[in-house]
Amino acid sequence: MTAKRDEKRKILRTKLIDAAHNRIKINGLPELRARDVTSDAGCALGGLYTAFDDLDDLILHVNARTLHRLNTALEKATAGRDPSGALHALALGYAAFARSNRTLWDALFEHRLDRDTPDWFQSEQISLLQNIVGPLARLQPALTESELHLRARTYFSAVHGIVSMSLQGRFVGIPGKALRAELDRFVEFIIIGSAAQAD
Amino acid sequence: MTAKRDEKRKILRTKLIDAAHNRIKINGLPELRARDVTSDAGCALGGLYTAFDDLDDLILHVNARTLHRLNTALEKATAGRDPSGALHALALGYAAFARSNRTLWDALFEHRLDRDTPDWFQSEQISLLQNIVGPLARLQPALTESELHLRARTYFSAVHGIVSMSLQGRFVGIPGKALRAELDRFVEFIIIGSAAQAD
DNA sequence: TGTACATCAGTGAACGCGCGTTCACTGATGTAC
DNA sequence: TGTACATCAGTGAACGCGCGTTCACTGATGTAC
């Protein structure tokens, strides 16, 4: 019976994830400090290393949560739509999520991990792709599973590029005001192109 | 007559840019150290601060050089092609440049500058966009200048997203082997979509 | 052309600070009887 | 149920290292006459 210990551990882990989530949300991943997180979570600095392997491990848990929230948002946005509508909704939903979760979303791509991606994280990544594979499969029923996955990755990468460049405000990014319209047009091109190819 | 001083300064600046370029090329921007660069360039640590404002300023000069090399490569790749051929060549040329100049190309996007982008750097950014605007304008003559620029940015961002995700080897990136084929197909969609829109 | 002084590029040791991780310790939880 | 001992989560001060930038100094270049 180690129930009490297990419970305390679980609570501490949650507190730390919550604290890191909030810190990233407010100041962004580059400003995240182990000392701030532990003091927010109400434990000692060393406590972090009993609950997680290290700071990177904690960040990974925050990112998994963010990815999960993104997947939920995208599922909601596409629910009950026809394939084209779903693709449009995915792109706009992605942009909307990125904008309103800016720093957390940035953390998803800023964070480099040297170790292998753990299973519980990979499953969230797979869900993300599945959200795209679904509509694509209905749009192009002739494609094989592996072609679909390839197309979904290309499609995701392209939309991600457009959204991230725009939000970063880089020279090559498009102005925020034009983002929605450009994304809509862009998705339409993809749909038209797919239809043309299917003929 | 400060000719000799001016000359020495110019030489030192070039040596430092060369050294930083090589260091980034070999180890990547995150591993770039002021001490390594100055020792490679054969000057004292403090010398960096007489030739440039600071390390960021030096990095910006390396990036301008990389951007210039990219522009030259893209101009060469598109020279004498019809609009569709040029768009294909741009995407593949971009991927090829990114792959064979991996760390230098990464530095272009990893480097954050707080100060404003100086003119001499902006002009390279503008050239990059012009490489895309050219073919697009011939493909869709009806578009206004500002629409063309918007389309060019969207188009660049999308291709950049596909290429960078793939090279980073992220889960959502497409495998290197499939990159060329996916890019070709992707560009074709854009061209078909543009044609459909022009009707 | 030559001399005396002034300037300023270049030097490199020292500054200054940040921050992830460790580790000897303690007190709460778990186990044995 | 209660006591004695064992374990281990949690503590927080100290470690350890990295590295951009500064600054008093010097020697080469420039200026004045």
Side-chain angles (χ1 to χ4, degrees):
Chain A
M1 267 286 286
T2 60
K4 200 152 189 176
R5 271 190 187 162
D6 290 349
E7 168 112 347
K8 280 187 77 176
R9 177 189 163 81
K10 208 171 155 190
I11 290 175
L12 179 57
R13 282 170 67 95
T14 306
K15 273 189 189 164
L16 283 165
I17 296 174
D18 288 345
H21 174 104
N22 276 323
R23 282 276 169 183
I24 293 173
K25 188 175 180 175
I26 295 168
N27 297 318
L29 182 61
E31 296 301 312
L32 188 73
R33 308 283 172 256
R35 280 162 179 76
D36 295 336
V37 172
T38 49
S39 100
D40 285 2
C43 74
L45 181 54
L48 169 59
Y49 298 87
T50 61
F52 295 95
D53 293 344
D54 53 23
L55 191 61
D56 276 339
D57 187 27
L58 173 57
I59 294 167
L60 200 62
H61 281 80
V62 175
N63 280 350
R65 181 191 276 187
T66 305
L67 207 45
H68 188 78
R69 291 176 50 233
L70 170 61
N71 283 329
T72 305
L74 294 182
E75 277 157 27
K76 214 168 163 181
T78 54
R81 290 188 187 261
D82 64 22
S84 322
L87 288 182
H88 278 281
L90 278 173
L92 293 185
Y94 188 69
F97 183 89
R99 181 151 26 201
S100 57
N101 294 275
R102 185 58 199 286
T103 51
L104 288 162
W105 174 75
D106 279 341
L108 242 29
F109 300 93
E110 283 169 8
H111 188 231
R112 298 283 141 150
L113 206 53
D114 38 7
R115 64 204 83 160
D116 292 333
T117 312
D119 287 350
W120 50 267
F121 193 86
Q122 278 191 31
S123 72
E124 290 296 343
Q125 295 178 318
I126 291 168
S127 297
L128 180 63
L129 269 197
Q130 285 305 331
N131 279 323
I132 308 171
V133 167
L136 272 187
R138 284 185 288 155
L139 208 64
Q140 294 195 276
L143 292 184
T144 65
E145 195 68 14
S146 83
E147 281 173 325
L148 276 172
H149 271 80
L150 217 49
R151 255 3 80 72
R153 281 156 198 251
T154 302
Y155 182 63
F156 173 86
S157 299
V159 170
H160 173 80
I162 295 170
V163 171
S164 69
M165 285 291 190
S166 174
L167 289 192
Q168 282 174 27
R170 294 237 175 221
F171 173 75
V172 284
I174 61 182
K177 283 198 169 182
L179 181 57
R180 292 177 58 92
E182 284 297 309
L183 274 180
D184 259 334
R185 186 186 327 265
F186 178 79
V187 173
E188 206 51 40
F189 282 9
I190 299 294
I191 293 169
I192 293 171
S194 300
Q197 192 194 39
D199 293 346
Chain B
M1 268 288 286
T2 60
K4 200 153 189 175
R5 272 190 187 163
D6 290 350
E7 169 111 347
K8 279 186 77 174
R9 177 188 163 80
K10 208 171 156 190
I11 290 175
L12 179 58
R13 282 171 66 96
T14 306
K15 274 188 188 166
L16 283 166
I17 295 174
D18 288 345
H21 174 104
N22 275 324
R23 281 277 169 183
I24 292 173
K25 188 175 181 177
I26 295 168
N27 297 318
L29 182 61
E31 296 300 313
L32 189 73
R33 307 283 174 256
R35 280 162 179 78
D36 295 336
V37 172
T38 49
S39 99
D40 285 1
C43 72
L45 182 55
L48 169 60
Y49 297 87
T50 61
F52 295 95
D53 292 345
D54 52 23
L55 191 60
D56 275 339
D57 187 27
L58 173 57
I59 294 168
L60 199 63
H61 281 80
V62 175
N63 279 351
R65 182 191 275 187
T66 304
L67 207 44
H68 188 79
R69 291 176 50 233
L70 170 62
N71 283 329
T72 305
L74 294 181
E75 278 157 27
K76 216 168 163 181
T78 54
R81 291 187 186 261
D82 63 22
S84 321
L87 288 183
H88 279 282
L90 277 174
L92 294 185
Y94 188 69
F97 183 90
R99 186 162 7 211
S100 57
N101 294 273
R102 184 57 198 287
T103 51
L104 288 162
W105 174 76
D106 279 341
L108 243 28
F109 299 93
E110 284 168 8
H111 189 229
R112 298 282 142 151
L113 207 53
D114 39 7
R115 65 202 82 159
D116 290 332
T117 312
D119 288 349
W120 51 267
F121 193 86
Q122 277 191 30
S123 73
E124 290 295 344
Q125 295 178 318
I126 291 168
S127 297
L128 180 63
L129 268 198
Q130 284 306 331
N131 280 323
I132 309 172
V133 167
L136 272 187
R138 285 184 288 154
L139 208 64
Q140 294 195 276
L143 292 184
T144 66
E145 195 68 14
S146 83
E147 281 173 323
L148 276 172
H149 270 81
L150 216 50
R151 254 4 79 73
R153 281 157 198 251
T154 302
Y155 183 61
F156 174 86
S157 300
V159 169
H160 173 80
I162 295 171
V163 171
S164 69
M165 286 290 189
S166 174
L167 289 191
Q168 281 175 29
R170 293 236 175 221
F171 173 75
V172 283
I174 61 182
K177 283 198 168 182
L179 181 57
R180 291 177 59 92
E182 283 298 308
L183 274 179
D184 259 334
R185 187 186 327 266
F186 178 80
V187 173
E188 205 52 39
F189 282 8
I190 299 295
I191 292 169
I192 293 170
S194 300
Q197 191 193 42
D199 293 344

